[in-house]
């Protein structure tokens, strides 16, 4: 058991040196020492509680989900009735009182229309999304069920969380915490982001992009008074645009939505020198955009972002190729933010900021300083105690403890993990576990010597028997930490990551590395007794 061939010693020492070197940039950063820029510098990220940053609580507008479902259902109903053979004519369409109602022209089409509607009202599994009734012989009434609304809100919140995650990662924030809170809220914590306004501007933007035809039949006086013609709706111009303060009527249905975008980049128009956003549609969106512009040459269409009109240019010729430009008096920064928002996808529902705060780095610096002092004092006392109690074997345990700290820092830096306050607690916890392992080993060796075993035999039995208990105890710790990582959120995950790394390195250094050193000592000195 104490046989360590040369190749194994070289491999172990190489591993120790490489991982320990990876810890040096992090140690330099924590202690304020300048690390040479010419050298690789894997460093540990600090979480919101240590590095400071922004904390924002967002709440969704659940009523908007209901309105969107009504609009989507109206489009679907019109589509299936139009595509029926022969087509079913419908009229008197209404979405008042949070329900969709319409009439079919002929009573003979009622049964056929009902068959076409059934696939639309049934949800997944046994869940019914809508109730469907026929009143007055020819009028259909569709009412969304609460079960369907709840499912739609849940799906929208999951999508919104993914969109926010993509947007924050796009600006380079490391290890943001984005978690759902309740049915309609999302918590966002972005370490290192000290400007909550910029963060809100990015993640609060719905980025709902639409291209809709302008209703040229609408009278300007009616539009300014807010009276939209049937089948149309009125949007205001966005602030900063040439027509800010004015309004425009556009066709409510049809047009193209931005969900078929594949890319968006902030660029500069070489002809006007304006900051613009160049967008690219996917194949299906490009075909639809080409069809829309081909069928409506010499007509204006509005570019609408988050229910505000950016511009309403004339379609001079069909636009093919799936590329278009969005202009709207952008600055370079706002164009870049819009491009990020469009690339990340539109938020499925408006999110309102109901709580925000900025966490300064001072608290984190104090925590780091206090943690370092506590770790320094605690580690020093432990080193002294082990040295006094176990002599040479205590010295080996102390060296293993120092290597354990370096290996934890090195692995965390290489894996680019984030250290939080709970992570510091996990760090200290694993140091104690490392000392426990060496105490078990040394005590077992001492017992074997008292039983009369010879030196080498006592060391072999001590390491073998104690290692079993050490592995069993730490396997349960690893299982608990993995469960914490899988089911925890934010700082809890950080604690779990540090705990897993610490358990693995502490067992490695306390059992394998000290065994190698003890074996070398026994081979060189061949002692007849141990002072342990």
């Amino acid at each position: 058991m104490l046989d360590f061939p040369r190749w194994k010693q070289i491999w172990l020492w190489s591993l120790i040196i490489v991982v320990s070197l990876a810890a040096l940039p992090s140690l330099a950063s924590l202690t304020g020492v300048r690390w040479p820029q010419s050298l690789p510098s894997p460093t540990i990220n600090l979480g919101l509680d240590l590095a400071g940053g922004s904390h924002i609580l967002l709440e969704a507008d659940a009523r908007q989900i209901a309105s969107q479902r009504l609009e989507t259902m109206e489009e679907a109903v019109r589509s299936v009735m139009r595509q029926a053979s022969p087509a079913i004519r419908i009229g008197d369409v209404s979405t008042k009182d949070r329900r969709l109602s319409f009439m079919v022209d002929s009573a003979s089409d009622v049964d056929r229309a009902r068959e076409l509607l059934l696939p639309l009202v049934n949800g997944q599994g046994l869940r019914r999304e809508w109730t469907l009734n026929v009143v007055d012989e020819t009028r259909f009434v569709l009412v969304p069920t609460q079960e369907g609304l709840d499912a739609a809100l849940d799906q929208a919140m999951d999508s919104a969380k993914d969109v926010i995650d993509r947007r924050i990662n796009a600006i380079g924030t490391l290890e943001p915490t984005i978690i759902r809170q309740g049915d309609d809220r999302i918590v966002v914590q972005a370490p290192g982001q000290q400007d909550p306004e910029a963060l809100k501007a990015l993640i609060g933007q719905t980025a709902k992009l639409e291209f809709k035809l302008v209703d040229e039949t609408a009278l300007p006086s009616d539009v300014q008074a807010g009276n939209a013609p049937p089948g149309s709706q009125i949007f205001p111009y966005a602030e900063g645009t040439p027509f800010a303060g004015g309004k425009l009527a556009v066709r409510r249905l049809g047009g193209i939505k931005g969900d078929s975008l594949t890319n968006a980049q902030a660029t500069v128009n070489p002809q006007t020198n304006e900051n613009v956003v160049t967008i690219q549609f996917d194949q299906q969106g490009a075909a639809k955009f080409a069809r829309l512009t081909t069928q409506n040459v010499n007509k204006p269409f509005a570019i609408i972002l988050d229910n505000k009109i950016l511009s309403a240019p004339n379609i001079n010729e069909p636009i093919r190729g799936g590329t278009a430009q969005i202009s709207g008096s952008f600055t370079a920064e706002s164009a870049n933010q819009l491009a990020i928002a469009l690339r990340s996808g539109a938020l499925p529902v408006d999110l309102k900021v109901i709580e925000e705060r900025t966490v300064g780095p001072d608290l984190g610096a104090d925590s780091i300083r206090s943690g370092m002092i506590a770790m320094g004092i605690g580690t020093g006392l432990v080193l002294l105690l082990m040295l006094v109690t176990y002599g040479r074997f205590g010295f080996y345990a102390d060296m293993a403890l120092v290597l354990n700290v370096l290996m934890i820092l090195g692995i965390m830096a290489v894996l680019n993990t984030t250290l939080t306050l709970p992570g510091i607690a996990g760090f200290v916890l694993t140091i104690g576990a490392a000392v426990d392992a060496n105490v078990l080993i040394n005590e077992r060796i001492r017992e074997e010597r008292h039983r009369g075993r010879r030196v080498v035999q006592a060391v072999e039995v001590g390491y073998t028997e104690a290692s079993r208990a050490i592995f069993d105890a730490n396997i349960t710790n690893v299982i608990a930490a993995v469960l914490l990582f899988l089911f925890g959120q934010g700082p809890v995950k950080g604690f779990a990551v540090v705990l897993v790394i610490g358990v693995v390195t502490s067992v490695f250094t306390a059992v394998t590395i000290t065994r190698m050193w003890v074996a070398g000592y026994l081979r060189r000195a061949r002692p007849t007794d141990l002072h342990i």
Side-chain angles (χ1 to χ4, degrees):
M1 294 296 293
L2 296 178
D3 183 32
F4 275 84
R6 179 71 65 183
W7 68 266
K8 193 173 183 179
Q9 295 181 41
I10 294 174
W11 183 84
L12 289 174
W13 275 112
S14 300
L15 181 64
I16 291 171
I17 293 171
V18 170
V19 178
S20 298
L21 288 176
L24 296 183
S26 298
L27 286 175
S29 175
L30 292 173
T31 54
V33 177
R34 189 172 181 179
W35 184 256
Q37 294 183 351
S38 57
L39 298 178
S41 55
T43 52
I44 299 171
N45 306 313
L46 299 181
L48 183 70
D49 48 2
L50 296 179
S54 297
H55 170 102
I56 296 176
L57 178 61
L58 303 163
E59 185 177 70
D61 183 0
R63 293 174 300 178
Q64 190 185 33
I65 295 292
S67 301
Q68 289 174 352
R69 283 171 58 80
L70 278 175
E71 184 176 324
T72 303
M73 177 57 80
E74 182 185 347
E75 286 199 64
V77 168
R78 288 181 182 274
S79 177
V80 296
M81 297 301 168
R82 189 169 52 245
Q83 294 175 4
S85 182
I88 300 175
R89 292 171 57 87
I90 64 174
D92 194 20
V93 180
S94 172
T95 56
K96 292 183 179 178
D97 301 326
R98 297 184 180 183
R99 64 180 190 171
L100 173 65
S101 67
F102 62 92
M103 295 179 64
V104 295
D105 270 5
S106 173
S108 61
D109 289 333
V110 169
D111 291 339
R112 201 155 57 93
R114 178 193 287 275
E115 291 299 320
L116 292 173
L117 292 175
L118 285 178
L120 300 180
V121 301
N122 292 326
Q124 295 179 351
L126 299 177
R127 186 178 68 228
R128 181 172 290 275
E129 303 274 357
W130 298 76
T131 60
L132 172 63
N133 293 298
V134 180
V135 298
D136 300 334
E137 297 185 351
T138 58
R139 176 172 290 279
F140 284 82
V141 179
L142 291 91
V143 181
T145 64
Q146 188 60 47
E147 187 181 12
L149 289 173
D150 292 342
L153 178 61
D154 185 65
Q155 186 177 6
M157 294 304 292
D158 282 342
S159 299
K161 178 173 171 289
D162 293 339
V163 170
I164 293 172
D165 188 48
R166 288 196 292 271
R167 289 184 184 181
I168 293 182
N169 282 318
I171 59 176
T173 298
L174 297 172
E175 297 284 341
T177 299
I178 304 166
I179 56 176
R180 286 186 56 181
Q181 185 180 80
D183 295 331
D184 58 354
R185 293 183 176 181
I186 294 175
V187 176
V188 178
Q189 293 182 339
Q193 294 296 325
Q194 301 293 338
D195 186 358
E197 294 301 323
L199 189 64
K200 284 192 301 180
L202 177 63
I203 65 177
Q205 186 172 25
T206 308
K208 180 183 177 184
L209 183 64
E210 299 172 285
F211 298 86
K212 290 191 173 184
L213 289 174
V214 175
D215 186 351
E216 296 179 280
T217 65
L219 297 175
S221 57
D222 290 340
V223 172
Q224 290 305 314
N227 299 320
S232 297
Q233 57 190 141
I234 296 175
F235 289 113
Y237 276 93
E239 294 182 3
T241 56
F243 300 100
K247 299 176 182 177
L248 193 63
V250 300
R251 296 291 182 186
R252 190 165 59 89
L253 301 179
I256 298 176
K257 295 181 180 178
D259 51 3
S260 55
L261 294 181
T262 58
N263 196 13
Q265 294 290 338
T267 56
V268 176
N269 187 326
Q271 297 178 345
T272 62
N273 207 29
E274 288 181 327
N275 291 295
V276 297
V277 178
T278 301
I279 59 174
Q280 181 75 42
F281 289 101
D282 60 17
Q283 187 175 4
Q284 187 177 4
K288 195 172 181 181
F289 194 66
R291 187 166 57 251
L292 174 73
T293 54
T294 300
Q295 295 172 349
N296 296 280
V297 172
N298 295 324
K299 294 181 181 178
F301 75 107
I303 302 175
I304 306 166
L305 180 67
D306 293 347
N307 298 327
K308 292 182 180 178
I309 295 176
L310 296 178
S311 60
N314 219 46
I315 303 175
N316 296 322
E317 59 185 11
I319 302 175
R320 300 186 176 90
T323 301
Q325 281 190 344
I326 303 173
S327 59
S329 303
F330 296 120
T331 63
E333 183 181 358
S334 62
N336 186 52
Q337 285 197 342
L338 176 59
I340 292 174
L342 292 176
R343 284 200 304 270
S344 305
L347 287 174
V349 62
D350 289 345
L351 296 172
K352 180 176 63 178
V353 177
I354 61 173
E355 179 186 320
E356 63 173 282
R357 66 175 185 268
T358 303
V359 181
D362 296 340
L363 177 62
D366 291 341
S367 301
I368 294 174
R369 191 180 306 112
S370 301
M372 295 290 287
I373 293 173
M375 285 177 57
I377 295 175
T379 304
L381 291 175
V382 169
L383 294 178
L384 181 62
L385 178 66
M386 293 294 290
L387 192 62
V388 171
T389 305
Y390 298 110
R392 173 183 291 275
F393 283 71
F395 175 74
Y396 291 150
D398 290 347
M399 294 300 296
L401 187 62
V402 173
L403 284 181
N404 182 41
V405 172
L406 292 176
M407 291 188 76
I408 293 175
L409 294 175
I411 292 175
M412 289 183 66
V414 171
L415 297 179
N416 203 25
T417 56
T418 298
L419 181 65
T420 61
L421 274 179
I424 291 180
F427 202 103
V428 176
L429 188 64
T430 56
I431 291 176
V435 175
D436 280 347
N438 281 118
V439 170
L440 282 174
I441 293 171
N442 293 339
E443 288 297 326
R444 193 57 195 261
I445 294 173
R446 181 181 286 175
E447 289 178 6
E448 296 302 323
R449 283 292 294 156
H450 289 165
R451 291 175 182 173
R453 290 186 186 274
R454 291 181 296 179
V455 170
V456 174
Q457 194 177 19
V459 172
E460 283 187 356
V461 174
Y463 267 98
T464 303
E465 297 297 327
S467 296
R468 292 174 186 166
I470 293 169
F471 285 129
D472 290 345
N474 285 286
I475 284 174
T476 57
N477 286 335
V478 169
I479 293 173
V482 170
L483 292 176
L484 277 177
F485 181 82
L486 293 177
F487 297 105
Q489 295 286 352
V492 176
K493 280 194 170 185
F495 172 80
V497 169
V498 175
L499 188 59
V500 170
I501 295 174
V503 167
V504 173
T505 57
S506 65
V507 172
F508 173 73
T509 54
V511 177
T512 305
I513 299 302
T514 60
R515 178 183 288 183
M516 179 178 68
W517 291 337
V518 170
Y521 162 68
L522 294 180
R523 281 199 302 270
R524 290 193 308 273
R526 299 185 181 281
T528 57
D529 194 9
L530 292 177
H531 299 287
I532 187 171

